[in-house]
Amino acid sequence: MSTAGKVIRCKAAVLWELKKPFSIEEVEVAPPKAYEVRIKMVATGICHSDEHVVTGDFAIILPAIVGHEGAGIVESIGEGVTAVKPGDKVIPLCLPQCGTCVVCKHPEANNCVRMRVTNPRGTMQDGTTRFTCRGKPVYHFFHTSTFSEYTVVDEISIVKIDAAAPLEKVCLIGCGFTTGYGSAVKVAKVTPGSTCAVFGLGGVGLSTVLGCKAAGAARIIGVDINKDKFAKAKALGATDCISPQDFQKPVHEVLTEMSGGGVDFSFEVIGRIDTMLEALLSCHEAFGVSVIIGVPPGSQNLSVDPRLLLNGRTWKGAVFGGFKGKDSIPELVTDFMANKFPLDPLITTVLPFGKLNEGFDLLRSGKRWIIFSLLMYPYHPQILRPVRCLQPYTTSDCLMPSSSRTLDQNSMNLSLQDVNNISVNIYQ
């Protein structure tokens, strides 16, 4: 039975209060209005930007449905929508692209003026929400709200992708991978034969390493206090890995010595004020380029001696790797399908939607190399095949149905009990 034009009741993770767990609730998702699209979500990743919302470092209106790194299938469209049709595989855009504002028309800019990611208002363009829970409006996040079985986005916040793309992998292109990879190839414009330093070897940091490698960097130095991350970083292209805790002097001095005067390109992928300055100081004073990728706490300021830039250093910031979503995401998905870069090594844990809070706990612990915790929505048969996590992890998590029940194309609306019955199996 078609759900187009009707209110859909489904499960979503609602954040009612800061610094509290998400509550898995039944919510009502209104049909899309003109120039809007309703999506049946298939997979989503947990990003540190979502954690910043929980802690209050990123201010939004509550209650809200968070999540912004996902992929799904178009369920229905509103009047006037031409970019997608029901049944299309899509990635919702946390960074919209209207195509008409001054930013969208600029060849090197991507933070659309019509819906700025830096000033989230929590509503659709008409000022209203499409989510309701317990009789109250629930607000949107980053124009996407992927922590819901269904979500509604503006047409400027969605892009169609290859119908053969595995959604449980390419959802990472919705934020984390693209942010790191693009910061190297598009924002910094890493050159062949250059030396790069990447501060922070989490998921976005490793994506930055992949970008530096793709651009032809001769030397890629990973910097992290967690040495457990070094093997994976080297497997993806890092030539050296160092921990600041192994030295009695600032790490920028170590990098300056290692590179013979300073690296060509440095990337801060942590979101700390002190490491942003270290990354800047580590690049060559005459021609080095340093890019800020990590999101810093909103209440902190950074004081810098302007003479650090006077001789020629360049200091840049980047959102979404400098990419315009509608223009670039389909190309990145195509490149992934052509094996131009891997995504599997970035996936370390796969969890069912009902274990979202557990995924955040793993992300915070840092003990299991949690890079991207994928939350697999249970109703799509495509996602029930195992997802392999590459060695050298001590365990790999595979999503398997906990019963012999077979899901067909019509098995789309599952209860919360169904969600919890899809288990994570651990293999040593």
Side-chain angles (χ1 to χ4, degrees), residues 93 128 292 358 385:
L93 301 177
T128 63
I292 296 175
E358 183 178 311
R385 63 179 183 269

Side-chain angles (χ1 to χ4, degrees), residues 24-242:
I24 305 298
E25 304 265 5
E26 181 177 88
V27 300
E28 294 181 346
V29 185
K33 295 184 179 181
Y35 305 105
E36 296 176 358
V37 179
R38 189 160 60 186
I39 308 169
K40 182 186 295 292
M41 295 304 302
V42 171
T44 185
I46 297 177
C47 179
H48 264 101
S49 296
D50 302 315
E51 170 67 358
H52 288 322
V53 173
V54 176
T55 60
D57 290 325
F58 195 105
I60 66 169
I61 304 173
L62 298 179
I65 295 174
V66 190
H68 63 283
E69 183 181 74
I73 298 170
V74 174
E75 175 269 338
S76 61
I77 60 175
E79 180 183 355
V81 172
T82 59
V84 296
K85 65 182 184 302
D88 284 346
K89 285 187 177 182
V90 293
I91 290 179
L93 301 177
C94 58
L95 203 64
Q97 184 182 346
C98 73
T100 59
C101 73
V102 63
V103 172
C104 287
K105 288 183 176 180
H106 193 285
E108 298 298 325
N110 68 346
N111 195 359
C112 180
V113 170
R114 285 178 62 181
M115 299 176 73
R116 287 187 181 275
V117 70
T118 51
N119 185 30
R121 60 189 181 187
T123 66
M124 306 298 287
Q125 290 194 75
D126 69 354
T128 63
T129 75
R130 300 292 170 270
F131 297 116
T132 305
C133 183
R134 305 181 191 174
K136 300 178 181 179
V138 178
Y139 293 92
H140 300 249
F141 175 66
F142 272 8
H143 327 296
T144 52
S145 293
T146 61
F147 291 172
S148 176
E149 291 178 340
Y150 288 84
T151 189
V152 178
V153 303
D154 288 287
E155 186 178 21
I156 66 174
S157 298
I158 192 171
V159 65
K160 179 181 176 180
I161 60 172
D162 190 329
L167 299 181
E168 74 276 12
K169 296 179 183 179
V170 299
C171 64
L172 301 186
I173 295 176
C175 180
F177 170 80
T178 303
T179 297
Y181 188 83
S183 294
V185 302
K186 184 168 178 61
V187 178
K189 294 181 171 59
V190 169
T191 53
S194 60
T195 298
C196 303
V198 179
F199 287 70
L201 297 174
V204 180
L206 293 180
S207 299
T208 307
V209 170
L210 287 170
C212 293
K213 180 181 178 181
R219 194 176 187 187
I220 305 170
I221 306 170
V223 182
D224 203 297
I225 61 174
N226 186 350
K227 294 183 180 181
D228 288 341
K229 298 178 180 180
F230 290 176
K232 177 58 62 177
K234 289 182 178 180
L236 293 178
T239 56
D240 310 82
C241 290
I242 62 173

Side-chain angles (χ1 to χ4, degrees), residues 347-358:
I347 303 172
T348 60
T349 303
V350 180
L351 295 172
F353 182 45
K355 293 182 178 292
L356 183 143
N357 287 308
E358 183 178 311

